[in-house]
Amino acid sequence: MEEKRMMQYAPPQTFAELEALARECWHSAYDDTLLTRENVDYMLNLFQTASAMEKQVREDGYIYFFLVDAGEKVGYCALQPQGERLFLSKLYLKASARGKGLGQRALGEVISAAERTGAKSVWLTVNKGNARAVRAYEKFGFVRSGEGVSDIGQGYVMDDYYYEYFIAGQNA
């Protein structure tokens, strides 16, 4: 029996629900360990409100998905096609869904989506201090390809590693 896909398309009319899910996931992932609550709230208000997501979809070609396991929305991801590469902009799980292999399963579906579009690779950014996420991406087969610091305003920066996964059979 084929396992049902975990990634389920999130149309714009679901972005208010997605915004609430993003707040839950981000605060449980970052608060007081990697970032201050104020920093997380600033980034959520900048990037993950329903209106910000609608703008990303409309202007930048982003596609949002709920991550669903056993009928429960356990997280979400966002993809942006960029020619021969697919940008994995977001992949977040609820705290209760972590450590169960769901992130690896979601990454497998992201790679399958990239293969279907003919992309040669999938790339992403990850906070340099997020050791759990770094381990998960490296375990899956992503390789570090660089790093950078992006000023996002109000005195905040994103200090990230860049990772890339090359699609088998595609010429990198």
Side-chain angles (χ1 to χ4, degrees):
M1 182 168 117
E2 185 176 320
E3 192 171 8
K4 187 173 181 178
R5 281 199 181 143
M6 182 178 199
M7 287 174 52
Q8 295 182 7
Y9 174 68
Q13 61 267 31
T14 65
F15 285 177
E17 178 184 6
L18 198 57
E19 177 181 340
L21 181 60
R23 288 192 180 280
E24 178 183 348
C25 292
W26 282 45
H27 280 296
S28 70
Y30 294 122
D31 280 6
D32 302 323
T33 54
L34 294 172
L35 305 171
T36 65
R37 183 171 187 83
E38 294 77 20
N39 189 347
V40 174
D41 282 335
Y42 176 77
M43 291 173 66
L44 284 165
N45 291 334
L46 189 62
F47 301 122
Q48 296 294 264
T49 62
S51 60
M53 288 183 257
E54 288 171 8
K55 183 178 179 185
Q56 292 163 12
V57 167
R58 183 179 61 253
E59 295 181 8
D60 301 317
Y62 279 72
I63 307 164
Y64 277 88
F65 298 88
F66 287 106
L67 300 177
V68 180
D69 181 57
E72 179 189 354
K73 292 174 180 163
V74 296
Y76 76 104
C77 73
L79 305 176
Q80 182 193 36
Q82 297 179 339
E84 293 185 338
R85 299 191 327 161
L86 182 66
F87 178 45
L88 173 55
S89 173
K90 315 279 183 301
L91 195 157
Y92 288 93
L93 292 171
K94 292 180 177 182
S96 61
R98 294 186 201 124
K100 299 178 180 180
L102 298 175
Q104 296 290 302
R105 188 172 146 209
L107 286 172
E109 291 195 25
V110 168
I111 299 306
S112 293
E115 290 171 338
R116 286 192 301 276
T117 66
K120 294 181 179 182
S121 68
V122 175
W123 76 282
L124 57 88
T125 63
V126 61
N127 181 295
K128 288 179 182 175
N130 193 342
R132 181 183 64 234
V134 165
R135 279 192 307 273
Y137 292 127
E138 289 178 350
K139 177 182 176 183
F140 191 86
F142 280 82
V143 295
R144 190 177 303 169
S145 58
E147 60 185 78
V149 177
S150 302
D151 184 340
I152 57 171
Q154 301 294 312
Y156 295 116
V157 298
M158 293 190 306
D159 190 7
D160 294 327
Y161 290 128
Y162 306 143
Y163 275 84
E164 194 156 8
Y165 181 95
F166 295 95
I167 308 295
Q170 300 285 349
N171 294 323

